[in-house]
Amino acid sequence: MNSFPTIDEVHQILDDIAEELPKEFFDKLNEGIILLPEYKLHPESRDRDKLYIMGEYIKSITGRRIAIYYGSFEKVCYGLSRQELYDKLQDTLLHEFTHHLESLAGEKGLEIKDAEDMRKYRGRE
């Protein structure tokens, strides 16, 4: 891919991925999936080893949503083929849906795995 897809094109890819998911995944996800234009760095990101947040599962007093950061994808995935970008978006969306479903079930398995991944990141030089 010579240039990165527009935010509208990425939005369409996310819509295509979401349409393939079971409707039950969306239970109580009242604020849906949002695609934000910015990039987001993890608070512990380092200058020489940037850690971009690709997506987040957010639970607040207003409800539950999945946020995907277009700018993070643009920075991390620039130059990937359309299929590779699709796969990365799908992996990220499924990761955030796992957080959502675990939240509904009172589980924390993925949170524990994410914390372990952060420990590994901190340990890298």
Side-chain angles (χ1 to χ4, degrees), residues 102-124:
E102 284 188 350
S103 172
L104 294 176
E107 297 290 328
K108 295 190 181 285
L110 190 53
E111 284 182 36
I112 293 166
K113 183 190 176 306
D114 286 348
E116 176 59 29
D117 289 345
M118 276 306 300
R119 279 191 288 281
K120 289 177 184 174
Y121 174 80
R122 288 183 201 107
R124 292 195 312 234

Side-chain angles (χ1 to χ4, degrees), residues 1-5 13 77-86:
M1 162 182 331
N2 293 332
S3 64
F4 197 75
I13 294 169
C77 299
Y78 190 90
L80 294 183
S81 71
R82 198 158 195 83
Q83 184 60 52
E84 290 169 322
L85 176 60
Y86 180 97

